[in-house]
Amino acid sequence: MTIAARSEHHLNIDSIRVGYSAGRTFTEIVHGMSFSLARGEIGCLLGPSGCGKTTVLRAIAGFESLLGGRIALGGRELSHAGFTEAPERRGVGVVFQDYALFPHLSVWENIAFGLQRLSRDERRQRVDRLLSLVGLASHARQYPHELSGGQQQRVALARALAPQPDLLLLDEPFSNLDVDLRERLALEVRDILKELGTTAVLVTHDQHEAFAIADQIGVMHQGVIVQWDNAYNLYHRPESRFVADFIGQGVFTPGTVDLPRQQVHIELGSLPLWQGINACSTTERTEQVVDVLLRADDVVHDDASPLQAEVVRKAFRGAEFLYTLKLPSGQQLLALVPSHHDHAIGEKIGIRLGADHVVTFPSESA
């Protein structure tokens, strides 16, 4: 079956529902979820454990059947209720969390494994090009156990790309690597995918990985995408409290919207209101009690400020400290401070607002 050619997207996920039965109990994991990607675009499903993101990836790969909705790739329908095209016929490559390399095959042989249909010369040229692209040309004759985790990840990526799939799926591909390597490798993977023009979907719980690799990110919660957007908007323009709380580091502090003056008043001062008020309930009142999202980079350390806050906790981040500060009211907030300002727990420091916009949500206390 095919989907009408009017679709301008390469991958279309249209209102899919996925679930499973365990004995007499049925559980629906994904509830009518939709998103799409243009050819060559990299998307990411980002969310906490148990939100359904890996289930979506398995459905796209053909490992899970749909209860409803449709999945189409390049105008060709791959899944709908009652029909699931076999994984090997989908033109979809998968990089698994554990890499799943063949231990008895060399790096070269692992990458060449799915290329039996090619001639010997074509296979050699394809593998040699990918080895060069992932920076492992000098490791072609080594075996997986002789490689580092990052090198094994590159081999798995090259093997998945070797058949030139229409779509590449990456299932938590960096989770086995140390924190410092993850983001750097994510950037390298992005460069490789962009050079090849490969459409890809990444699944991760790590927002730094998502920000490093993806063009578009879908934040998932309880089986649905609550916001599909770019990294900048997810951080600065969250559409829900869940996204605001999940992305970045911040706290909610009580505030009052002054509509005539187009300001929000909080304990630290006043902020211009130009973004976020649409998240508040609209009433004819000139004042609304709201919760204001303050990120750690919205609070600036300033010795000259009359507003003092007590250092409650501190975490060294190399170039910065992440301070947890307590205001005179008892309200706590976060602040990123250059690490040459090394303040002791219990010490009071001057702070001021450094935000140039404000995101508000209806007050939970109200």
Side-chain angles (χ1 to χ4, degrees):
M1 296 180 66
T2 60
I3 281 185
R6 68 179 182 275
S7 174
E8 62 180 8
H9 294 107
H10 185 58
L11 173 67
N12 281 280
I13 309 299
D14 182 15
S15 303
I16 65 169
R17 296 170 50 235
V18 188
Y20 65 88
S21 297
R24 297 182 177 180
T25 304
F26 177 79
T27 304
E28 186 169 302
I29 305 298
V30 180
H31 316 290
M33 198 179 85
S34 301
F35 69 90
S36 57
L37 292 172
R39 183 178 293 276
E41 197 170 25
I42 303 172
C44 175
L45 299 177
L46 172 66
S49 297
C51 69
K53 56 188 185 295
T54 296
T55 300
V56 174
L57 205 75
R58 289 178 57 81
I60 298 172
F63 303 145
E64 301 286 350
S65 300
L66 298 185
L67 301 171
R70 299 176 186 276
I71 297 174
L73 181 63
R76 182 166 58 98
E77 192 163 296
L78 302 182
S79 295
H80 62 258
F83 169 75
T84 305
E85 185 162 47
E88 65 272 15
R89 298 181 58 190
R90 292 186 166 225
V92 175
V94 184
V95 178
F96 295 100
Q97 186 173 351
D98 60 358
Y99 312 143
L101 299 177
F102 300 113
H104 63 290
L105 300 182
S106 68
V107 168
W108 199 98
E109 291 166 334
N110 263 282
I111 298 172
F113 183 79
L115 303 179
Q116 289 85 352
R117 60 182 175 78
L118 300 182
S119 69
R120 180 177 299 178
D121 285 344
E122 288 174 321
R123 186 162 61 249
R124 177 181 54 78
Q125 291 173 7
R126 181 82 55 83
V127 175
D128 287 349
R129 186 197 174 197
L130 284 167
L131 279 168
S132 176
L133 194 61
V134 299
L136 291 174
S138 62
H139 299 272
R141 298 304 167 189
Q142 290 183 280
Y143 289 84
H145 73 273
E146 299 176 299
L147 305 177
S148 68
Q151 290 169 332
Q152 290 182 32
Q153 197 273 347
R154 288 186 179 90
V155 176
L157 176 66
R159 186 180 64 179
L161 290 170
Q164 298 179 326
D166 290 329
L167 175 70
L168 183 69
L169 305 177
L170 302 107
D171 184 12
E172 299 270 9
F174 312 109
S175 61
N176 293 330
L177 306 176
D178 62 76
V179 174
D180 292 336
L181 183 58
R182 289 179 191 174
E183 190 171 347
R184 177 162 58 84
L185 204 52
L187 290 169
E188 293 177 9
V189 168
R190 176 181 170 82
D191 290 342
I192 292 168
L193 295 178
K194 288 299 182 182
E195 182 169 339
L196 295 175
T198 303
T199 312
V201 178
L202 166 74
V203 158
T204 184
H205 64 277
D206 188 322
Q207 59 188 276
H208 299 293
E209 290 175 17
F211 290 174
I213 197 171
D215 300 308
Q216 297 291 323
I217 301 168
V219 178
M220 286 192 65
H221 181 51
Q222 297 181 343
V224 298
I225 291 177
V226 291
Q227 187 170 348
W228 178 264
D229 222 322
N230 58 47
Y232 181 91
N233 285 340
L234 290 175
Y235 187 87
H236 289 290
R237 298 168 184 167
E239 294 177 358
S240 69
R241 291 182 72 100
F242 177 82
V243 175
D245 199 39
F246 186 75
I247 297 294
Q249 292 175 309
V251 297
F252 290 103
T253 187
T256 304
V257 174
D258 185 344
L259 288 178
R261 294 181 176 82
Q262 286 293 288
Q263 291 183 328
V264 178
H265 305 298
I266 61 175
E267 188 174 355
L268 279 75
S270 297
L271 285 165
L273 181 64
W274 64 273
Q275 190 253 318
I277 186 63
N278 58 336
C280 301
S281 57
T282 56
T283 70
E284 295 182 359
R285 295 170 53 193
T286 59
E287 292 188 349
Q288 300 175 37
V289 178
V290 295
D291 289 334
V292 179
L293 174 65
L294 284 184
R295 301 286 192 193
D297 51 346
D298 290 332
V299 180
V300 179
H301 176 265
D302 184 355
D303 289 328
S305 173
L307 180 60
Q308 300 285 300
E310 179 185 346
V311 177
V312 177
R313 287 188 297 274
K314 58 192 257 189
F316 184 65
R317 300 286 179 86
E320 298 168 316
F321 277 110
L322 177 64
Y323 284 113
T324 301
L325 304 173
K326 185 168 69 173
L327 297 173
S329 66
Q331 169 73 33
Q332 291 191 357
L333 47 79
L334 302 174
L336 283 172
V337 177
S339 59
H340 58 272
H341 294 286
D342 187 5
H343 298 284
I345 302 295
E347 185 178 348
K348 290 187 176 181
I349 63 174
I351 58 170
R352 60 177 172 81
L353 277 173
D356 58 4
H357 68 278
V358 61
V359 177
T360 66
F361 295 93
S363 172
E364 288 191 335
S365 60

